[in-house]
PDB file of all heavy atoms in Angstrom:
ATOM      1  N   ALA A   1      32.877 -34.021 -47.763  1.00 94.00           N
ATOM      2  CA  ALA A   1      34.127 -33.442 -48.282  1.00 94.00           C
ATOM      3  C   ALA A   1      34.952 -34.590 -48.870  1.00 94.00           C
ATOM      4  O   ALA A   1      34.556 -35.738 -48.841  1.00 94.00           O
ATOM      5  CB  ALA A   1      34.892 -32.744 -47.152  1.00 94.00           C
ATOM      6  N   THR A   2      36.111 -34.267 -49.408  1.00 94.00           N
ATOM      7  CA  THR A   2      36.945 -35.286 -50.045  1.00 94.00           C
ATOM      8  C   THR A   2      37.227 -36.442 -49.103  1.00 94.00           C
ATOM      9  O   THR A   2      37.156 -37.605 -49.475  1.00 94.00           O
ATOM     10  CB  THR A   2      38.270 -34.655 -50.526  1.00 94.00           C
ATOM     11  OG1 THR A   2      37.969 -33.547 -51.365  1.00 94.00           O
ATOM     12  CG2 THR A   2      39.101 -35.657 -51.267  1.00 94.00           C
ATOM     13  N   CYS A   3      37.532 -36.142 -47.844  1.00 93.00           N
ATOM     14  CA  CYS A   3      37.852 -37.180 -46.862  1.00 93.00           C
ATOM     15  C   CYS A   3      36.643 -38.089 -46.626  1.00 93.00           C
ATOM     16  O   CYS A   3      36.765 -39.312 -46.537  1.00 93.00           O
ATOM     17  CB  CYS A   3      38.331 -36.585 -45.552  1.00 93.00           C
ATOM     18  SG  CYS A   3      37.232 -35.335 -44.833  1.00 93.00           S
ATOM     19  N   GLY A   4      35.455 -37.516 -46.532  1.00 93.00           N
ATOM     20  CA  GLY A   4      34.239 -38.293 -46.328  1.00 93.00           C
ATOM     21  C   GLY A   4      33.919 -39.171 -47.521  1.00 93.00           C
ATOM     22  O   GLY A   4      33.592 -40.360 -47.366  1.00 93.00           O
ATOM     23  N   ILE A   5      34.016 -38.607 -48.705  1.00 94.00           N
ATOM     24  CA  ILE A   5      33.747 -39.383 -49.914  1.00 94.00           C
ATOM     25  C   ILE A   5      34.722 -40.537 -50.063  1.00 94.00           C
ATOM     26  O   ILE A   5      34.339 -41.671 -50.346  1.00 94.00           O
ATOM     27  CB  ILE A   5      33.766 -38.479 -51.164  1.00 94.00           C
ATOM     28  CG1 ILE A   5      32.573 -37.482 -51.098  1.00 94.00           C
ATOM     29  CG2 ILE A   5      33.708 -39.314 -52.442  1.00 94.00           C
ATOM     30  CD1 ILE A   5      32.642 -36.384 -52.126  1.00 94.00           C
ATOM     31  N   ALA A   6      35.993 -40.268 -49.812  1.00 94.00           N
ATOM     32  CA  ALA A   6      37.032 -41.317 -49.904  1.00 94.00           C
ATOM     33  C   ALA A   6      36.793 -42.421 -48.887  1.00 94.00           C
ATOM     34  O   ALA A   6      37.099 -43.592 -49.130  1.00 94.00           O
ATOM     35  CB  ALA A   6      38.408 -40.704 -49.699  1.00 94.00           C
ATOM     36  N   ALA A   7      36.207 -42.089 -47.731  1.00 95.00           N
ATOM     37  CA  ALA A   7      35.946 -43.068 -46.681  1.00 95.00           C
ATOM     38  C   ALA A   7      34.623 -43.827 -46.890  1.00 95.00           C
ATOM     39  O   ALA A   7      34.330 -44.754 -46.154  1.00 95.00           O
ATOM     40  CB  ALA A   7      35.936 -42.390 -45.313  1.00 95.00           C
ATOM     41  N   GLY A   8      33.806 -43.403 -47.883  1.00 94.00           N
ATOM     42  CA  GLY A   8      32.570 -44.134 -48.174  1.00 94.00           C
ATOM     43  C   GLY A   8      31.303 -43.406 -47.803  1.00 94.00           C
ATOM     44  O   GLY A   8      30.277 -44.036 -47.580  1.00 94.00           O
ATOM     45  N   ALA A   9      31.312 -42.084 -47.765  1.00 95.00           N
ATOM     46  CA  ALA A   9      30.128 -41.317 -47.381  1.00 95.00           C
ATOM     47  C   ALA A   9      28.994 -41.364 -48.404  1.00 95.00           C
ATOM     48  O   ALA A   9      27.836 -41.257 -48.043  1.00 95.00           O
ATOM     49  CB  ALA A   9      30.507 -39.866 -47.078  1.00 95.00           C
ATOM     50  N   ARG A  10      29.331 -41.525 -49.689  1.00 95.00           N
ATOM     51  CA  ARG A  10      28.297 -41.513 -50.713  1.00 95.00           C
ATOM     52  C   ARG A  10      27.262 -42.620 -50.522  1.00 95.00           C
ATOM     53  O   ARG A  10      26.054 -42.372 -50.521  1.00 95.00           O
ATOM     54  CB  ARG A  10      28.900 -41.542 -52.116  1.00 95.00           C
ATOM     55  CG  ARG A  10      27.885 -41.228 -53.196  1.00 95.00           C
ATOM     56  CD  ARG A  10      28.521 -41.012 -54.559  1.00 95.00           C
ATOM     57  NE  ARG A  10      29.641 -40.114 -54.607  1.00 95.00           N
ATOM     58  CZ  ARG A  10      29.550 -38.771 -54.607  1.00 95.00           C
ATOM     59  NH1 ARG A  10      28.378 -38.204 -54.564  1.00 95.00           N
ATOM     60  NH2 ARG A  10      30.626 -38.027 -54.674  1.00 95.00           N
ATOM     61  N   PRO A  11      27.665 -43.886 -50.302  1.00 96.00           N
ATOM     62  CA  PRO A  11      26.687 -44.935 -50.047  1.00 96.00           C
ATOM     63  C   PRO A  11      25.879 -44.697 -48.748  1.00 96.00           C
ATOM     64  O   PRO A  11      24.698 -45.059 -48.673  1.00 96.00           O
ATOM     65  CB  PRO A  11      27.494 -46.221 -49.943  1.00 96.00           C
ATOM     66  CG  PRO A  11      28.814 -45.911 -50.574  1.00 96.00           C
ATOM     67  CD  PRO A  11      29.021 -44.454 -50.449  1.00 96.00           C
ATOM     68  N   VAL A  12      26.526 -44.053 -47.779  1.00 96.00           N
ATOM     69  CA  VAL A  12      25.810 -43.734 -46.525  1.00 96.00           C
ATOM     70  C   VAL A  12      24.728 -42.712 -46.813  1.00 96.00           C
ATOM     71  O   VAL A  12      23.571 -42.889 -46.369  1.00 96.00           O
ATOM     72  CB  VAL A  12      26.826 -43.211 -45.463  1.00 96.00           C
ATOM     73  CG1 VAL A  12      26.096 -42.670 -44.239  1.00 96.00           C
ATOM     74  CG2 VAL A  12      27.798 -44.306 -45.074  1.00 96.00           C
ATOM     75  N   LEU A  13      25.061 -41.684 -47.548  1.00 95.00           N
ATOM     76  CA  LEU A  13      24.068 -40.644 -47.899  1.00 95.00           C
ATOM     77  C   LEU A  13      22.935 -41.241 -48.690  1.00 95.00           C
ATOM     78  O   LEU A  13      21.745 -41.017 -48.390  1.00 95.00           O
ATOM     79  CB  LEU A  13      24.740 -39.533 -48.708  1.00 95.00           C
ATOM     80  CG  LEU A  13      23.832 -38.418 -49.241  1.00 95.00           C
ATOM     81  CD1 LEU A  13      23.258 -37.608 -48.085  1.00 95.00           C
ATOM     82  CD2 LEU A  13      24.583 -37.532 -50.212  1.00 95.00           C
ATOM     83  N   ASN A  14      23.251 -42.044 -49.713  1.00 94.00           N
ATOM     84  CA  ASN A  14      22.217 -42.672 -50.539  1.00 94.00           C
ATOM     85  C   ASN A  14      21.310 -43.574 -49.696  1.00 94.00           C
ATOM     86  O   ASN A  14      20.077 -43.547 -49.873  1.00 94.00           O
ATOM     87  CB  ASN A  14      22.834 -43.449 -51.682  1.00 94.00           C
ATOM     88  CG  ASN A  14      23.529 -42.584 -52.709  1.00 94.00           C
ATOM     89  OD1 ASN A  14      23.240 -41.386 -52.811  1.00 94.00           O
ATOM     90  ND2 ASN A  14      24.446 -43.132 -53.455  1.00 94.00           N
ATOM     91  N   THR A  15      21.888 -44.346 -48.814  1.00 95.00           N
ATOM     92  CA  THR A  15      21.101 -45.237 -47.968  1.00 95.00           C
ATOM     93  C   THR A  15      20.183 -44.452 -47.040  1.00 95.00           C
ATOM     94  O   THR A  15      19.013 -44.808 -46.873  1.00 95.00           O
ATOM     95  CB  THR A  15      22.032 -46.166 -47.141  1.00 95.00           C
ATOM     96  OG1 THR A  15      22.790 -46.946 -48.057  1.00 95.00           O
ATOM     97  CG2 THR A  15      21.242 -47.068 -46.222  1.00 95.00           C
ATOM     98  N   LEU A  16      20.690 -43.385 -46.448  1.00 96.00           N
ATOM     99  CA  LEU A  16      19.863 -42.556 -45.571  1.00 96.00           C
ATOM    100  C   LEU A  16      18.671 -42.005 -46.324  1.00 96.00           C
ATOM    101  O   LEU A  16      17.538 -42.061 -45.829  1.00 96.00           O
ATOM    102  CB  LEU A  16      20.688 -41.404 -44.954  1.00 96.00           C
ATOM    103  CG  LEU A  16      21.671 -41.814 -43.874  1.00 96.00           C
ATOM    104  CD1 LEU A  16      22.613 -40.682 -43.540  1.00 96.00           C
ATOM    105  CD2 LEU A  16      20.908 -42.232 -42.592  1.00 96.00           C
ATOM    106  N   VAL A  17      18.898 -41.463 -47.507  1.00 93.00           N
ATOM    107  CA  VAL A  17      17.789 -40.902 -48.297  1.00 93.00           C
ATOM    108  C   VAL A  17      16.769 -41.964 -48.634  1.00 93.00           C
ATOM    109  O   VAL A  17      15.565 -41.794 -48.432  1.00 93.00           O
ATOM    110  CB  VAL A  17      18.329 -40.225 -49.587  1.00 93.00           C
ATOM    111  CG1 VAL A  17      17.200 -39.833 -50.528  1.00 93.00           C
ATOM    112  CG2 VAL A  17      19.171 -39.000 -49.223  1.00 93.00           C
ATOM    113  N   GLU A  18      17.239 -43.116 -49.111  1.00 93.00           N
ATOM    114  CA  GLU A  18      16.335 -44.191 -49.487  1.00 93.00           C
ATOM    115  C   GLU A  18      15.544 -44.722 -48.306  1.00 93.00           C
ATOM    116  O   GLU A  18      14.333 -44.938 -48.389  1.00 93.00           O
ATOM    117  CB  GLU A  18      17.130 -45.332 -50.125  1.00 93.00           C
ATOM    118  CG  GLU A  18      17.674 -45.002 -51.506  1.00 93.00           C
ATOM    119  CD  GLU A  18      18.682 -46.013 -52.035  1.00 93.00           C
ATOM    120  OE1 GLU A  18      18.837 -47.088 -51.407  1.00 93.00           O
ATOM    121  OE2 GLU A  18      19.315 -45.717 -53.064  1.00 93.00           O
ATOM    122  N   GLU A  19      16.216 -44.953 -47.183  1.00 94.00           N
ATOM    123  CA  GLU A  19      15.557 -45.498 -46.016  1.00 94.00           C
ATOM    124  C   GLU A  19      14.582 -44.505 -45.381  1.00 94.00           C
ATOM    125  O   GLU A  19      13.516 -44.918 -44.891  1.00 94.00           O
ATOM    126  CB  GLU A  19      16.584 -45.974 -44.983  1.00 94.00           C
ATOM    127  CG  GLU A  19      17.415 -47.138 -45.445  1.00 94.00           C
ATOM    128  CD  GLU A  19      16.610 -48.383 -45.759  1.00 94.00           C
ATOM    129  OE1 GLU A  19      15.711 -48.762 -44.951  1.00 94.00           O
ATOM    130  OE2 GLU A  19      16.845 -49.011 -46.816  1.00 94.00           O
ATOM    131  N   VAL A  20      14.914 -43.229 -45.358  1.00 93.00           N
ATOM    132  CA  VAL A  20      13.981 -42.227 -44.855  1.00 93.00           C
ATOM    133  C   VAL A  20      12.711 -42.218 -45.712  1.00 93.00           C
ATOM    134  O   VAL A  20      11.605 -42.172 -45.174  1.00 93.00           O
ATOM    135  CB  VAL A  20      14.641 -40.813 -44.821  1.00 93.00           C
ATOM    136  CG1 VAL A  20      13.614 -39.708 -44.714  1.00 93.00           C
ATOM    137  CG2 VAL A  20      15.647 -40.733 -43.673  1.00 93.00           C
ATOM    138  N   ASN A  21      12.882 -42.273 -47.019  1.00 91.00           N
ATOM    139  CA  ASN A  21      11.699 -42.322 -47.916  1.00 91.00           C
ATOM    140  C   ASN A  21      10.914 -43.607 -47.733  1.00 91.00           C
ATOM    141  O   ASN A  21       9.676 -43.555 -47.664  1.00 91.00           O
ATOM    142  CB  ASN A  21      12.141 -42.162 -49.365  1.00 91.00           C
ATOM    143  CG  ASN A  21      12.529 -40.739 -49.688  1.00 91.00           C
ATOM    144  OD1 ASN A  21      11.937 -39.790 -49.183  1.00 91.00           O
ATOM    145  ND2 ASN A  21      13.537 -40.579 -50.511  1.00 91.00           N
ATOM    146  N   LYS A  22      11.579 -44.750 -47.647  1.00 93.00           N
ATOM    147  CA  LYS A  22      10.891 -46.032 -47.445  1.00 93.00           C
ATOM    148  C   LYS A  22      10.091 -46.051 -46.145  1.00 93.00           C
ATOM    149  O   LYS A  22       9.017 -46.615 -46.083  1.00 93.00           O
ATOM    150  CB  LYS A  22      11.884 -47.195 -47.383  1.00 93.00           C
ATOM    151  CG  LYS A  22      12.351 -47.714 -48.691  1.00 93.00           C
ATOM    152  CD  LYS A  22      13.233 -48.939 -48.464  1.00 93.00           C
ATOM    153  CE  LYS A  22      14.128 -49.225 -49.622  1.00 93.00           C
ATOM    154  NZ  LYS A  22      15.085 -50.317 -49.335  1.00 93.00           N
ATOM    155  N   ALA A  23      10.660 -45.439 -45.104  1.00 92.00           N
ATOM    156  CA  ALA A  23      10.005 -45.426 -43.806  1.00 92.00           C
ATOM    157  C   ALA A  23       8.898 -44.389 -43.714  1.00 92.00           C
ATOM    158  O   ALA A  23       8.205 -44.295 -42.693  1.00 92.00           O
ATOM    159  CB  ALA A  23      11.042 -45.177 -42.704  1.00 92.00           C
ATOM    160  N   GLY A  24       8.736 -43.586 -44.761  1.00 90.00           N
ATOM    161  CA  GLY A  24       7.693 -42.560 -44.746  1.00 90.00           C
ATOM    162  C   GLY A  24       8.017 -41.404 -43.834  1.00 90.00           C
ATOM    163  O   GLY A  24       7.111 -40.699 -43.335  1.00 90.00           O
ATOM    164  N   LEU A  25       9.300 -41.157 -43.611  1.00 90.00           N
ATOM    165  CA  LEU A  25       9.710 -40.101 -42.698  1.00 90.00           C
ATOM    166  C   LEU A  25      10.099 -38.805 -43.432  1.00 90.00           C
ATOM    167  O   LEU A  25      10.581 -37.876 -42.808  1.00 90.00           O
ATOM    168  CB  LEU A  25      10.938 -40.571 -41.880  1.00 90.00           C
ATOM    169  CG  LEU A  25      10.723 -41.768 -40.970  1.00 90.00           C
ATOM    170  CD1 LEU A  25      12.053 -42.229 -40.377  1.00 90.00           C
ATOM    171  CD2 LEU A  25       9.733 -41.427 -39.868  1.00 90.00           C
ATOM    172  N   ASP A  26       9.877 -38.751 -44.731  1.00 84.00           N
ATOM    173  CA  ASP A  26      10.338 -37.621 -45.524  1.00 84.00           C
ATOM    174  C   ASP A  26       9.721 -36.283 -45.118  1.00 84.00           C
ATOM    175  O   ASP A  26      10.328 -35.245 -45.357  1.00 84.00           O
ATOM    176  CB  ASP A  26      10.162 -37.889 -47.018  1.00 84.00           C
ATOM    177  CG  ASP A  26       8.753 -38.313 -47.389  1.00 84.00           C
ATOM    178  OD1 ASP A  26       8.123 -39.043 -46.614  1.00 84.00           O
ATOM    179  OD2 ASP A  26       8.316 -37.930 -48.492  1.00 84.00           O
ATOM    180  N   SER A  27       8.577 -36.277 -44.473  1.00 86.00           N
ATOM    181  CA  SER A  27       8.019 -35.014 -44.003  1.00 86.00           C
ATOM    182  C   SER A  27       8.556 -34.621 -42.640  1.00 86.00           C
ATOM    183  O   SER A  27       8.492 -33.460 -42.252  1.00 86.00           O
ATOM    184  CB  SER A  27       6.490 -35.104 -43.929  1.00 86.00           C
ATOM    185  OG  SER A  27       6.101 -36.062 -42.970  1.00 86.00           O
ATOM    186  N   LYS A  28       9.182 -35.547 -41.951  1.00 90.00           N
ATOM    187  CA  LYS A  28       9.716 -35.325 -40.602  1.00 90.00           C
ATOM    188  C   LYS A  28      11.226 -35.160 -40.612  1.00 90.00           C
ATOM    189  O   LYS A  28      11.794 -34.472 -39.755  1.00 90.00           O
ATOM    190  CB  LYS A  28       9.324 -36.530 -39.716  1.00 90.00           C
ATOM    191  CG  LYS A  28       9.816 -36.457 -38.297  1.00 90.00           C
ATOM    192  CD  LYS A  28       9.398 -37.706 -37.526  1.00 90.00           C
ATOM    193  CE  LYS A  28       9.986 -37.682 -36.129  1.00 90.00           C
ATOM    194  NZ  LYS A  28       9.736 -38.896 -35.410  1.00 90.00           N
ATOM    195  N   VAL A  29      11.899 -35.787 -41.564  1.00 92.00           N
ATOM    196  CA  VAL A  29      13.376 -35.808 -41.568  1.00 92.00           C
ATOM    197  C   VAL A  29      13.866 -35.199 -42.891  1.00 92.00           C
ATOM    198  O   VAL A  29      13.430 -35.539 -43.970  1.00 92.00           O
ATOM    199  CB  VAL A  29      13.886 -37.276 -41.484  1.00 92.00           C
ATOM    200  CG1 VAL A  29      15.389 -37.315 -41.577  1.00 92.00           C
ATOM    201  CG2 VAL A  29      13.391 -37.924 -40.200  1.00 92.00           C
ATOM    202  N   THR A  30      14.846 -34.288 -42.757  1.00 91.00           N
ATOM    203  CA  THR A  30      15.527 -33.685 -43.891  1.00 91.00           C
ATOM    204  C   THR A  30      16.935 -34.239 -43.935  1.00 91.00           C
ATOM    205  O   THR A  30      17.665 -34.148 -42.938  1.00 91.00           O
ATOM    206  CB  THR A  30      15.566 -32.164 -43.762  1.00 91.00           C
ATOM    207  OG1 THR A  30      14.230 -31.676 -43.680  1.00 91.00           O
ATOM    208  CG2 THR A  30      16.251 -31.529 -44.944  1.00 91.00           C
ATOM    209  N   VAL A  31      17.347 -34.808 -45.071  1.00 93.00           N
ATOM    210  CA  VAL A  31      18.696 -35.344 -45.243  1.00 93.00           C
ATOM    211  C   VAL A  31      19.441 -34.431 -46.186  1.00 93.00           C
ATOM    212  O   VAL A  31      18.927 -34.090 -47.255  1.00 93.00           O
ATOM    213  CB  VAL A  31      18.651 -36.775 -45.821  1.00 93.00           C
ATOM    214  CG1 VAL A  31      20.074 -37.307 -46.002  1.00 93.00           C
ATOM    215  CG2 VAL A  31      17.856 -37.713 -44.921  1.00 93.00           C
ATOM    216  N   SER A  32      20.637 -34.009 -45.790  1.00 92.00           N
ATOM    217  CA  SER A  32      21.432 -33.152 -46.671  1.00 92.00           C
ATOM    218  C   SER A  32      22.909 -33.489 -46.516  1.00 92.00           C
ATOM    219  O   SER A  32      23.287 -34.323 -45.684  1.00 92.00           O
ATOM    220  CB  SER A  32      21.160 -31.667 -46.359  1.00 92.00           C
ATOM    221  OG  SER A  32      21.557 -31.362 -45.040  1.00 92.00           O
ATOM    222  N   GLN A  33      23.718 -32.827 -47.314  1.00 92.00           N
ATOM    223  CA  GLN A  33      25.147 -33.064 -47.246  1.00 92.00           C
ATOM    224  C   GLN A  33      25.845 -31.756 -46.908  1.00 92.00           C
ATOM    225  O   GLN A  33      25.290 -30.678 -47.097  1.00 92.00           O
ATOM    226  CB  GLN A  33      25.658 -33.632 -48.551  1.00 92.00           C
ATOM    227  CG  GLN A  33      25.451 -32.753 -49.737  1.00 92.00           C
ATOM    228  CD  GLN A  33      25.838 -33.445 -51.040  1.00 92.00           C
ATOM    229  OE1 GLN A  33      25.627 -34.631 -51.185  1.00 92.00           O
ATOM    230  NE2 GLN A  33      26.381 -32.689 -51.974  1.00 92.00           N
ATOM    231  N   THR A  34      27.060 -31.868 -46.376  1.00 92.00           N
ATOM    232  CA  THR A  34      27.855 -30.704 -46.048  1.00 92.00           C
ATOM    233  C   THR A  34      29.290 -30.986 -46.404  1.00 92.00           C
ATOM    234  O   THR A  34      29.634 -32.115 -46.778  1.00 92.00           O
ATOM    235  CB  THR A  34      27.688 -30.344 -44.549  1.00 92.00           C
ATOM    236  OG1 THR A  34      28.281 -29.086 -44.306  1.00 92.00           O
ATOM    237  CG2 THR A  34      28.318 -31.390 -43.642  1.00 92.00           C
ATOM    238  N   GLY A  35      30.118 -30.019 -46.232  1.00 92.00           N
ATOM    239  CA  GLY A  35      31.546 -30.196 -46.480  1.00 92.00           C
ATOM    240  C   GLY A  35      32.212 -30.831 -45.281  1.00 92.00           C
ATOM    241  O   GLY A  35      31.616 -31.636 -44.575  1.00 92.00           O
ATOM    242  N   CYS A  36      33.421 -30.431 -45.021  1.00 91.00           N
ATOM    243  CA  CYS A  36      34.215 -31.034 -43.939  1.00 91.00           C
ATOM    244  C   CYS A  36      33.610 -30.726 -42.571  1.00 91.00           C
ATOM    245  O   CYS A  36      33.334 -29.586 -42.252  1.00 91.00           O
ATOM    246  CB  CYS A  36      35.640 -30.536 -43.996  1.00 91.00           C
ATOM    247  SG  CYS A  36      36.730 -31.316 -42.824  1.00 91.00           S
ATOM    248  N   ILE A  37      33.425 -31.746 -41.772  1.00 91.00           N
ATOM    249  CA  ILE A  37      32.925 -31.596 -40.417  1.00 91.00           C
ATOM    250  C   ILE A  37      34.074 -31.380 -39.449  1.00 91.00           C
ATOM    251  O   ILE A  37      33.907 -30.825 -38.371  1.00 91.00           O
ATOM    252  CB  ILE A  37      32.044 -32.805 -40.041  1.00 91.00           C
ATOM    253  CG1 ILE A  37      30.767 -32.796 -40.906  1.00 91.00           C
ATOM    254  CG2 ILE A  37      31.679 -32.780 -38.547  1.00 91.00           C
ATOM    255  CD1 ILE A  37      29.862 -33.971 -40.727  1.00 91.00           C
ATOM    256  N   GLY A  38      35.279 -31.793 -39.850  1.00 90.00           N
ATOM    257  CA  GLY A  38      36.471 -31.521 -39.059  1.00 90.00           C
ATOM    258  C   GLY A  38      37.018 -32.680 -38.234  1.00 90.00           C
ATOM    259  O   GLY A  38      37.939 -32.500 -37.461  1.00 90.00           O
ATOM    260  N   ILE A  39      36.441 -33.856 -38.409  1.00 92.00           N
ATOM    261  CA  ILE A  39      36.948 -35.029 -37.691  1.00 92.00           C
ATOM    262  C   ILE A  39      37.222 -36.152 -38.685  1.00 92.00           C
ATOM    263  O   ILE A  39      36.641 -37.211 -38.652  1.00 92.00           O
ATOM    264  CB  ILE A  39      35.982 -35.472 -36.583  1.00 92.00           C
ATOM    265  CG1 ILE A  39      34.543 -35.586 -37.094  1.00 92.00           C
ATOM    266  CG2 ILE A  39      36.040 -34.513 -35.388  1.00 92.00           C
ATOM    267  CD1 ILE A  39      33.550 -36.132 -36.079  1.00 92.00           C
ATOM    268  N   CYS A  40      38.166 -35.856 -39.573  1.00 92.00           N
ATOM    269  CA  CYS A  40      38.423 -36.735 -40.734  1.00 92.00           C
ATOM    270  C   CYS A  40      38.767 -38.177 -40.331  1.00 92.00           C
ATOM    271  O   CYS A  40      38.442 -39.111 -41.047  1.00 92.00           O
ATOM    272  CB  CYS A  40      39.563 -36.165 -41.571  1.00 92.00           C
ATOM    273  SG  CYS A  40      39.209 -34.507 -42.203  1.00 92.00           S
ATOM    274  N   GLN A  41      39.393 -38.362 -39.196  1.00 93.00           N
ATOM    275  CA  GLN A  41      39.773 -39.718 -38.768  1.00 93.00           C
ATOM    276  C   GLN A  41      38.559 -40.590 -38.432  1.00 93.00           C
ATOM    277  O   GLN A  41      38.696 -41.801 -38.337  1.00 93.00           O
ATOM    278  CB  GLN A  41      40.752 -39.680 -37.583  1.00 93.00           C
ATOM    279  CG  GLN A  41      40.162 -39.174 -36.316  1.00 93.00           C
ATOM    280  CD  GLN A  41      40.227 -37.663 -36.110  1.00 93.00           C
ATOM    281  OE1 GLN A  41      40.250 -36.898 -37.057  1.00 93.00           O
ATOM    282  NE2 GLN A  41      40.257 -37.234 -34.854  1.00 93.00           N
TER     283      GLN A  41
END
């Protein structure tokens, strides 16, 4: 959500996707995004 993106969630998401693929875990792990989780702080 806006709060997550402002806090730096995009590089976290990109890193998770890249590292899951590098580790060969793509058949075991699904990475996705969602909106607000509710703990903005």
